[in-house]
Amino acid sequence: MQVTIQKIPESLQEFEALAAAGKQPERICALFLCALALFDKDKDAGTAAMNRLRGPKPMTPYDTQFLGDRLRGKAYLPLAYFEGATPENGYKPRVPYVLNVSEDPRPQDVEPGYLRVFLKTTGADSARPMKLRKKESTGEWFLWEYSSILSGIRIPAAEDPWA
C-alpha cells in the first residue's frame, strides 16, 4: 500500500484539508507522520491533529508528554519513514512524499476490528509495527498503537560523532 502527499502540513488547517481526502488505513499512517511533524512545530496543533486520528480515544496529558519526550531533538523522526529519507541526507525525503505501508505478514495474530501494518525506515534494521482500530459503526480507522514508530532510529550522519 502506498500513499503520496504533496506537502507536509504546517498548520492544523492544512492538516485537516489533507485528512479530509480519505480515511484508508495507509492514509491514516501517513497522516500520523504528518501529525508528528506538526506536533514538533506546534504542540497544540499537533495534539489536535493526533486527536483527530485517535477518534474516540483522545490524547491524555501522559500521551502528550510521551510524544514530546520521543520527538525532543528529533525533528527528523516523522520524515524518516518517507521514501528517499536516509541517515546520510539527514532524513530529507523526496518530494512528493511517498510512504510505503506493508501489510501484516501474520494477520491471523490480530484480533478482529484491528489492523497491524508496518512502516520501514532506513534508520532501522526492521520495519516498525503500527496498530489501527476500526470503529464498526462508521467503518473508519483510527490510531491505536504506534509507540514503535517513535522508537529510536539511527541519528542523521551530520549529528553522529562516529560517522
Side-chain angles (χ1 to χ4, degrees), residues 1-3 5 15 18-36 49-50 52-55 82 99 101 115 117 119 130-134 139-146 149:
M1 301 178 286
Q2 194 175 74
V3 179
I5 294 174
F15 178 86
L18 186 61
K23 297 179 180 171
Q24 305 86 346
E26 63 272 19
R27 194 153 180 83
I28 298 300
C29 295
L31 288 168
F32 167 63
L33 298 175
C34 291
L36 291 179
M50 287 293 294
R52 186 181 198 293
L53 296 175
R54 288 172 55 121
F82 290 102
L99 178 68
V101 179
L115 176 69
V117 295
L119 305 184
M130 270 183 73
K131 201 174 201 182
L132 305 174
R133 184 172 183 179
K134 189 175 190 179
E140 295 174 284
W141 289 97
F142 294 98
L143 286 178
W144 189 253
E145 166 52 44
Y146 47 82
I149 302 299

Side-chain angles (χ1 to χ4, degrees), residues 2-90:
Q2 194 175 74
V3 179
T4 301
I5 294 174
Q6 299 302 317
K7 180 181 183 287
I8 301 294
E10 295 180 18
S11 68
L12 184 57
Q13 293 75 21
E14 288 181 10
F15 178 86
E16 291 289 349
L18 186 61
K23 297 179 180 171
Q24 305 86 346
E26 63 272 19
R27 194 153 180 83
I28 298 300
C29 295
L31 288 168
F32 167 63
L33 298 175
C34 291
L36 291 179
L38 184 57
F39 184 94
D40 190 58
K41 291 180 175 126
D42 179 342
K43 185 176 161 185
D44 292 337
T47 299
M50 287 293 294
N51 281 337
R52 186 181 198 293
L53 296 175
R54 288 172 55 121
K57 186 181 175 203
M59 299 273 285
T60 65
Y62 172 81
D63 294 326
T64 303
Q65 169 118 20
F66 180 78
L67 280 186
D69 290 347
R70 294 298 181 268
L71 292 173
R72 188 170 297 116
K74 298 177 184 171
Y76 57 85
L77 184 64
L79 300 181
Y81 291 89
F82 290 102
E83 276 190 7
T86 66
E88 293 73 31
N89 70 9

